Amino acid sequence: MKAILLLAIGLVVGVMLGAISMHFLYSPLFGETPMNYQTIYFPKADTKIYSLARIWGITGNSEEVRLCSEPYEVGKKDQSDHCVVFFTDRIYYKKNGATGLQIYAPSSSIPPNIKDSVGSIRISVKELKNFDEVKDFERNFENYGLMTIAAP
């Protein structure tokens, strides 16, 4: 009985120390969360879309891909009115004419009432409706003529 009690206490202490360690490892004090910044240039419209993809949190369960009309700086003023946010670690896209962008994203990552433009660039979103579609795009997006924006 004493051995089981010591094992339980050791387990609880270990989990607590692990959680504290992970908190400090993802804290700005010890460095920033890895982020992937990309720019999509539309030369005929002479405009850009700035993207940011990141995964953060102690368990890595917070994820987003942002498409913004101006560079996005984490921690600065709320720039959500300049951005479209997908709650996933990866989206796929292709340019659609001189001022259009076709996005492919898991349906669960698409917010309700998503905007139809980022700055002067029109966006249209196609839902990937199930696991098989998402996996198919992961494996074959280049064969479909698509690019990807993904968290590091």
Side-chain angles (χ1 to χ4, degrees):
M1 188 60 138
K2 188 175 181 180
I4 293 174
L5 181 61
L6 286 174
L7 184 62
I9 290 172
L11 182 64
V12 168
V13 168
V15 168
M16 288 174 54
L17 288 174
I20 291 168
S21 297
M22 290 302 292
H23 170 74
F24 285 113
L25 288 174
Y26 284 98
S27 166
L29 181 62
F30 293 100
E32 294 294 325
T33 301
M35 295 179 226
N36 180 20
Y37 292 94
Q38 288 179 243
T39 303
I40 305 168
Y41 182 56
F42 293 83
K44 290 184 180 175
D46 193 31
T47 192
K48 298 176 184 176
I49 289 181
Y50 301 90
S51 72
L52 162 71
R54 65 183 179 147
I55 298 174
W56 74 100
I58 290 175
T59 60
N61 62 340
S62 299
E63 51 192 27
E64 71 179 10
V65 175
R66 287 180 175 265
L67 301 175
C68 304
S69 59
E70 56 188 53
Y72 183 81
E73 295 181 48
V74 175
K76 298 287 183 186
K77 68 178 176 98
D78 179 22
Q79 299 169 327
S80 59
D81 57 328
H82 300 286
C83 300
V84 172
V85 181
F86 298 90
F87 299 101
T88 184
D89 66 334
R90 175 185 303 264
I91 62 170
Y92 306 93
Y93 71 92
K94 68 178 176 181
K95 292 181 182 178
N96 202 4
T99 60
L101 192 66
Q102 177 72 59
I103 305 289
Y104 298 86
S107 58
S108 61
S109 72
I110 302 168
N113 303 322
I114 189 165
K115 296 184 339 184
D116 61 355
S117 66
V118 176
S120 62
I121 303 301
R122 291 176 288 101
I123 63 168
S124 60
V125 180
K126 299 279 187 182
E127 296 181 21
L128 303 178
K129 296 182 180 173
N130 58 46
F131 177 80
D132 292 334
E133 282 186 339
V134 172
K135 284 300 174 191
D136 179 50
F137 271 71
E138 268 182 30
R139 287 188 212 105
N140 299 306
F141 72 91
E142 290 173 323
N143 296 335
Y144 300 149
L146 302 174
M147 304 290 288
T148 186
I149 299 169

